[in-house]
Structure formats: C-alpha cells, structure tokens
Amino acid sequence: MKPLTKLIGVSKSIRQTLLGDLFTNKRFVIGFTIFLFIILLGYVGSLFAYPDPWKISYYTPGGTDRCTDDLRYLPPSPEHLLGTDNNCRDIYTWLVVGLKNTIWIAALAGVIGTLIATVLGMIAGYKGGLLDDVINFSANFMIVIPMFIVLLMIVGYVPERLRTSMLVAVVIGLLSWPGPTRVVRSMVMQNKAADYVDMAKLTNFTSTEILFKEILPNIASYIFLIYINSFSSAIFTEVGIGAIGFGPFDAVTLGRAFNAMLAGGAITLGLWWWFMSLGLVVVFLSYSLLLINLGLQHVFNPRLRFTVYAV
C-alpha cells in the first residue's frame, strides 16, 4: 500500500521547488561552496602530499628517517608548502591527511548519533507512556552531564593501541544522541496529531508503517539538519580531544595536528604558517556548516521561507 503522504499531495514538483530554492539560497550556496573546497583540500590535496605523514625519509639526505636541525622548522617552500615541524615532518601532509580523517570520523559519529536519536525519538514521541518517560528521562539525565568529560574518561582509559579512529567515532556518536532525541520526539508528537496520521490509522496502517512511511518522510529534512549539527559538533569534539592528546592513536587527525603544533611551540616561536593553516581550516569548516544549516532551515521552515536576510 502506498504511503498516504504520497496519495494526498506530497508531489514531486514540491520537492523540486524546495531543491530549487535550496540552491538559490545565498547562505546555503556560500556554505556548500566553502565546504566543497575543504573536502577537495582533504581528499584531492592529499594526492599532492607525501604518502606517509610520519616518515621523513622522502626528503632527508640519504633517505633516512633521522631528523636533523637543518630540517626542523623549515618555512614554506615548493618542497614543503607549509614548512616542517619540530620533528622534521611535512606540515601540509599532516593538514590534508588530518582533515580527511577528521571528516571521516565526524561523518561516522554523526550517522551513529542521528540514527540513535531518530529511532529513540520516534518511538518515544509516538508510543508515549512509560517508554516515553524512560527515554525522555534518560535523555534529560545525559544532557546535564558534561559529555566532553565523559568522553575523555572513556578514551583516556583505553590503551593507545586500541584507541582507533573507529572507536573514537563510535564513542562520540554514542554520546551525542540525547539532545537530538528530544528534538525528534517533539516533532513526532506534533505530527502524531496530524490528519494524515488519523487517516493512516483508519486504513489499518501498523504503528511501524505510520512511523516510517508517514511521519518519517515529513520530518526527514529536520533530521538532516540534526545530522549537520551532529557532524559539526563531532568535528569540534575530535579536535578538542585530539589537541590535548586523547585522539585516535592509529591516524593523523586535525586534533592530533593541533597537539603536534602546540607541542612544537608554533605559537611561541611565531610560526604563523603552522598554527594559522590549522586554525583557518577549522574556522572555515565550521563556518561553512553553519551557513549550510541556516540555509536549510530557511528553505525547510515555512516560517522562514519568505524572510529577507543578509549573509
């Protein structure tokens, strides 16, 4: 049986109109352009980096991994676009490889957190009763706990050899569901009282069919907004824990690059090309996601669709 949302007029032309409005929204277009450039920097830029960010034998005399003073703190040059650090490693390689790995961690953490929040929020919002009370209480309880400290406690007690990018992404995702769960729950409770849900009940739709065939399509755009927020939050979380030495041990990430920059004394020594390159990437990445989020809200929220604003 076809979902009633298709039978009662959620047409293809409406979806095309929303998509067209999205790519004429200045905030979204600017944010998406910046984000695409950063993605290309991480994935295409890594093609022009040294294969292994840890090895220095690519450019040492004799091809050895011995770091000498004449290779430390080199300024930007054609051979080293952002110079070298205190361990003679190429900073540009660390930047692009770390960017690529951080994006992967944040994307996976966002998927995990959004998926958990969607399932729990839909169940709590639609079923109500004791199940709703338990889920809502759990979400409220976890919100008041400083998740960053909990995350540090978890990854801090994990041996370094087991602290992988996958583990960090999963832990971040598992700790990011409480807030989004409350948002999804609220949206489901609003849609549960809609006429199309009553019609679905009259046509003997099961609760699962109503949730996933009727309600979910109507809140999908807001769930995507939740994912963007979770993705952005996961980036800052990874950078935060990595900068203080609790990030993944198996890969270079932006957090670990910040840790190496701080340990190498880049700010004290005035090596602006080192700390400015890392800082600007994080700033523009977060700014692009903010613009994308605001653009999506402006298109998907009926109250904002005809609001005039400045970028």
Side-chain angles (χ1 to χ4, degrees):
M1 182 178 295
K2 292 184 178 180
L4 291 177
T5 49
K6 293 184 178 180
L7 296 177
I8 62 178
V10 182
S11 63
K12 183 179 180 180
S13 61
I14 296 178
R15 294 193 296 269
Q16 290 175 341
T17 300
L18 290 175
L19 189 61
D21 290 345
L22 192 61
F23 283 96
T24 56
N25 183 280
K26 289 193 294 184
R27 286 181 173 178
F28 178 82
V29 171
I30 294 173
F32 183 77
T33 302
I34 297 174
F35 182 72
L36 183 61
F37 174 78
I38 294 175
I39 292 294
L40 291 176
L41 175 63
Y43 285 85
V44 179
S46 62
L47 299 177
F48 303 94
Y50 291 103
D52 188 346
W54 298 98
K55 293 181 64 175
I56 64 173
S57 58
Y58 304 111
Y59 41 85
T60 56
T64 64
D65 281 323
R66 182 181 178 184
C67 180
T68 56
D69 291 339
D70 58 330
L71 291 176
R72 289 190 175 95
Y73 300 120
L74 292 179
S77 65
E79 186 178 19
H80 304 287
L81 296 180
L82 292 174
T84 60
D85 64 8
N86 56 310
N87 291 313
C88 305
R89 298 172 303 205
D90 184 68
I91 297 175
Y92 171 79
T93 300
W94 270 61
L95 174 66
V96 293
V97 173
L99 175 61
K100 182 172 64 174
N101 290 332
T102 294
I103 289 174
W104 180 86
I105 291 173
L108 179 58
V111 168
I112 294 173
T114 304
L115 183 61
I116 295 174
T118 300
V119 173
L120 293 181
M122 290 179 67
I123 294 174
Y126 187 79
K127 291 295 186 181
L130 179 61
L131 189 58
D132 176 32
D133 292 338
V134 172
I135 294 176
N136 195 35
F137 173 80
S138 301
N140 291 333
F141 177 77
M142 292 191 65
I143 284 176
V144 300
I145 299 176
M147 285 296 107
F148 190 78
I149 303 300
V150 175
L151 178 62
L152 288 180
M153 292 175 60
I154 295 174
V155 299
Y157 280 100
V158 175
E160 290 184 343
R161 59 186 177 83
L162 300 178
R163 197 193 307 158
T164 63
S165 301
M166 177 71 74
L167 176 65
V168 172
V170 170
V171 173
I172 293 175
L174 291 176
L175 294 177
S176 64
W177 63 268
T181 297
R182 295 182 62 187
V183 176
V184 174
R185 172 181 174 271
S186 176
M187 291 187 295
V188 171
M189 291 178 69
Q190 293 176 8
N191 280 265
K192 186 173 67 171
D195 292 337
Y196 72 88
V197 174
D198 293 333
M199 293 176 60
K201 292 178 180 177
L202 292 174
T203 53
N204 295 323
F205 273 38
T206 64
S207 297
T208 303
E209 289 176 323
I210 293 175
L211 275 174
F212 291 97
K213 291 185 178 180
E214 305 298 332
I215 295 179
L216 182 59
N218 283 280
I219 65 173
S221 58
Y222 297 98
I223 291 176
F224 184 66
L225 288 174
I226 290 174
Y227 174 76
I228 296 295
N229 283 328
S230 299
F231 177 75
S232 179
S233 177
I235 290 175
F236 281 107
T237 302
E238 191 287 315
V239 171
I241 64 174
I244 59 178
F246 289 92
F249 194 72
D250 66 330
V252 172
T253 63
L254 283 180
R256 193 156 191 174
F258 266 96
N259 179 265
M261 180 268 292
L262 295 173
I267 299 177
T268 304
L269 297 174
L271 305 178
W272 59 267
W273 56 84
W274 192 356
F275 61 80
M276 284 291 289
S277 59
L278 290 171
L280 287 175
V281 165
V282 174
V283 168
F284 278 106
L285 183 57
S286 60
Y287 181 62
S288 67
L289 292 171
L290 173 63
L291 289 179
I292 290 173
N293 200 339
L294 292 175
L296 289 170
Q297 288 184 36
H298 191 270
V299 171
F300 293 138
N301 191 335
R303 297 180 180 179
L304 300 177
R305 282 181 61 80
F306 301 103
T307 303
V308 179
Y309 56 85
V311 176

